[in-house]
């Protein structure tokens, strides 16, 4: 398909930048509009509050970005981002069981969100026909007289006409409101309240720290809704993230963070907090609810309009899926627009729904382990969560089980792959081994919960 026509993308965060990259191959002009004054360097900005939090680019996400931007991995490595084997260079304390490390092909990048976004934004802005308009807010849609087709956007600087408008405005995107104003139904929503608060701080990474590993992680479990992540990043630093669910809020002061870390079965984090030099202040962020909007189920939707990334599905950030899913959606969008735009919304929303199914199932199914999380728990949910716990037990000695879990977590394999006969046999064998769960790093008691803002059947 030859490049012609114009497209407008609302939002210059990762979802919008990736959508613009996809549209570049089918549209002669692509205008990205963002209300922020975009920085000229790898700096955090107001419109991306999660930008100061720990980020890791999952293996499948890195591969998808490489398909969209050849050589991006090497570019980010030159900027200091470490390329990490997620199986051999990270300690995984899943349900308190330490996974046996082994070499793998699961290569992720440890980096800050500003570095990644800056690199991608520079690549997109350099594409012929792409224009980035910062400091400009989109206030509404422009349509034809019968409101069946979107023909542009109204901005704080005037009207921008387009053959296709893509809303990449994130979790707070205005599309449901705009659809209502145009006489369309709003999409049905699936909401899972998780009440996550997470706190990130960076520390100097010196030789020998945590045995020269690149990271460590422990997950929240029923009865202990706390988790922690350690991840190497650019600038010879470690980022650590403390998180709590269901109103459990990590503190941001030095002593409070150390005490909180001491309640986790994550000795690597305790070592960093105790011995390493901080390079930033602690920054907290709250994420109340995971939301999936079912645009694929709408009977009517205007032509010339799409919604992508967090506007479609906003995942619990603890699982690190958002950027990877946005990149996979961009690959889908590129494939569709280069073969024709007829019935584009229906084709894209159905395809994106299939992409979202697996990560949504992983996140929601895991969150439903907690009795306080509202949602339907059919026999399949209960079985899978019990089964995955036994995967973690077996992975203490069997690296094949660890690899199988990590491939699903990184969205390389579907969750059903964990139930393959060969994997199930290894899980069964692992049930007869004795493994001692990792103890908390210190003897600090778990304070009373404070108040604060898988595979479903």
């Amino acid at each position: 398909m030859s490049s012609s026509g114009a497209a407008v993308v609302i939002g210059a965060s990762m979802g919008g930048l990736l959508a613009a990259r996809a549209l570049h191959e089918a549209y002669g002009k692509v205008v990205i509009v963002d209300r922020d004054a975009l920085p000229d360097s790898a700096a955090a900005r107001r419109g991306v509050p999660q930008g100061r939090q720990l980020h890791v680019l999952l293996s499948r996400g890195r591969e998808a970005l490489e398909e969209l931007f050849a050589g991006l991995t090497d570019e980010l490595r030159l900027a200091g981002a470490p390329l990490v084997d997620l199986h051999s260079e990270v300690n995984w304390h899943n349900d308190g069981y330490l996974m046996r490390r082994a070499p793998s092909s699961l290569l992720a990048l440890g980096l800050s969100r500003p570095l990644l976004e800056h690199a991608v934004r520079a690549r997109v802005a350099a594409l012929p026909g792409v224009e980035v308009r910062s400091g400009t807010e989109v206030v509404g849609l422009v349509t034809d007289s019968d409101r069946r087709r979107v023909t542009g956007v109204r901005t704080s600087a005037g009207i921008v006409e387009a053959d296709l408008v893509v809303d990449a405005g994130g979790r707070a995107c205005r599309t449901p409101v705009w659809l209502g104003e145009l006489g369309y139904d709003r999409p049905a929503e699936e909401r899972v309240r998780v009440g996550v608060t997470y706190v990130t701080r960076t520390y100097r990474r010196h030789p020998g720290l945590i045995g020269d590993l690149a990271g460590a992680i422990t997950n929240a479990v029923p009865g202990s809704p706390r988790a922690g992540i350690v991840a190497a990043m650019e600038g010879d630093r470690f980022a650590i993230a403390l998180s709590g669910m269901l109103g459990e809020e990590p503190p941001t002061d030095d002593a409070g963070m150390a005490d909180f870390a001491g309640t986790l079965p994550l000795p690597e984090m305790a070592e960093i907090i105790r011995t390493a030099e901080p390079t930033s202040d602690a920054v907290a962020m709250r994420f109340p609810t995971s939301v999936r909007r079912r645009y694929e189920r709408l009977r009517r939707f205007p032509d010339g309009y799409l919604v992508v990334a967090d506007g479609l599905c906003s995942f619990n950030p603890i699982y690190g899926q958002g950027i990877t899913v946005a990149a996979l959606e961009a690959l889908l969008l590129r494939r569709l627009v280069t073969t024709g735009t007829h019935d584009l919304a229906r084709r894209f929303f159905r395809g994106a729904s299939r992409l979202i199914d697996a990560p949504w199932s992983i996140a929601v199914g895991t969150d439903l382990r907690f009795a306080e999380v509202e949602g339907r728990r059919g026999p399949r949910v209960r079985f899978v969560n019990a089964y995955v716990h036994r995967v973690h037990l077996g992975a203490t000695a069997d690296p094949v089980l660890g690899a199988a879990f990590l491939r699903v977590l990184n969205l390389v394999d579907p969750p059903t792959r964990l139930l393959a006969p060969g994997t199930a046999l290894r899980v069964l064998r692992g049930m007869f081994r004795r493994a001692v769960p990792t103890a908390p790093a210190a003897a600090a008691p778990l304070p009373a919960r404070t108040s604060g803002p898988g595979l479903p059947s």
Side-chain angles (χ1 to χ4, degrees), residues 3-8 23 26-31 151 160-165:
S3 297
S4 62
V8 168
L23 296 174
Y27 291 85
K29 182 178 182 180
V30 180
V31 179
T151 59
V160 183
E161 296 181 346
D163 300 288
L164 176 66
V165 174

Side-chain angles (χ1 to χ4, degrees), residues 92-106:
W92 294 82
H93 302 264
N94 294 316
D95 290 1
Y97 296 112
L98 178 59
M99 180 186 294
R100 181 177 177 179
R101 298 198 309 271
S104 78
S105 60
L106 296 171

Side-chain angles (χ1 to χ4, degrees), residues 21 30 103 120 122 319 338 345 369 383 390 420 423:
R21 168 64 185 88
V30 180
V120 171
Y319 305 108
T338 53
R369 296 201 301 172
F383 166 76
R390 287 164 175 77
T423 303

Side-chain angles (χ1 to χ4, degrees), residues 216-272:
I217 184 170
T218 187
N219 60 329
V221 296
S224 181
R226 296 179 168 194
I229 304 175
V230 175
M233 60 183 294
E234 77 272 12
D236 289 323
R237 294 174 292 167
F238 274 120
I240 69 164
L242 301 169
S243 66
M245 293 181 62
L246 307 166
E248 186 78 47
E249 297 193 0
T252 56
D253 62 286
D254 290 347
M257 290 180 67
D259 287 345
F260 190 100
T263 67
L264 301 174
L266 194 64
E268 298 86 353
M269 177 174 286
E271 178 184 346
I272 290 173

Side-chain angles (χ1 to χ4, degrees), residues 166-184:
V166 176
D167 189 352
R171 293 193 296 267
C173 76
R174 300 278 293 166
T175 289
V177 173
W178 291 337
L179 288 177
E181 292 173 350
L182 295 174
Y184 291 86

